[in-house]
Amino acid sequence: MGMAVGGGSGPQSNINMTPMIDILLVLLIIFMAISPVSPHGLDALAPQPPPPNVKQPDNNDRTVVIVLDAQGNVKINQTDTTWEKLGDSLVDIFKTRAEKVVFVKGDKDLEFQKVAQAIDIAHGAGIDKVGLMTPKVEAGQ
């Protein structure tokens, strides 16, 4: 918004911005009208419940839980193992599985350093996701 002062006689070339802004606003309105109102995300399939007369399969064989107790013992589900064999055991369990998820359950009196060590060993064995299971606290404690 400059104003020419002085006695400059002769033609001046200034760009008239009004038509350009009008075109820009019209294009903005057109693109806003064309774009969808709500964003379209990825399609997801929700699991459907089985029919009532069909026996449900036992999914506990798919869940792998590393159990750590306060004495330093390590178990994979109900199988005893050692800290040295934990990584190799996890590799053997998950070499044929596509979904690599393991849960770590530590005793409530166990230091978190041991839980972190189990998580590190699981990641080293190629496990994608590691979940933590909290121990149940007895009532009144």
Side-chain angles (χ1 to χ4, degrees), residues 110-127:
L110 185 69
E111 294 180 7
F112 188 75
Q113 177 182 1
K114 292 293 184 181
V115 176
Q117 183 180 2
I119 293 171
D120 188 41
I121 291 172
H123 280 298
I127 308 301

Side-chain angles (χ1 to χ4, degrees), residues 46-54 56:
Q48 300 298 319
N53 56 358
V54 176
Q56 293 181 335

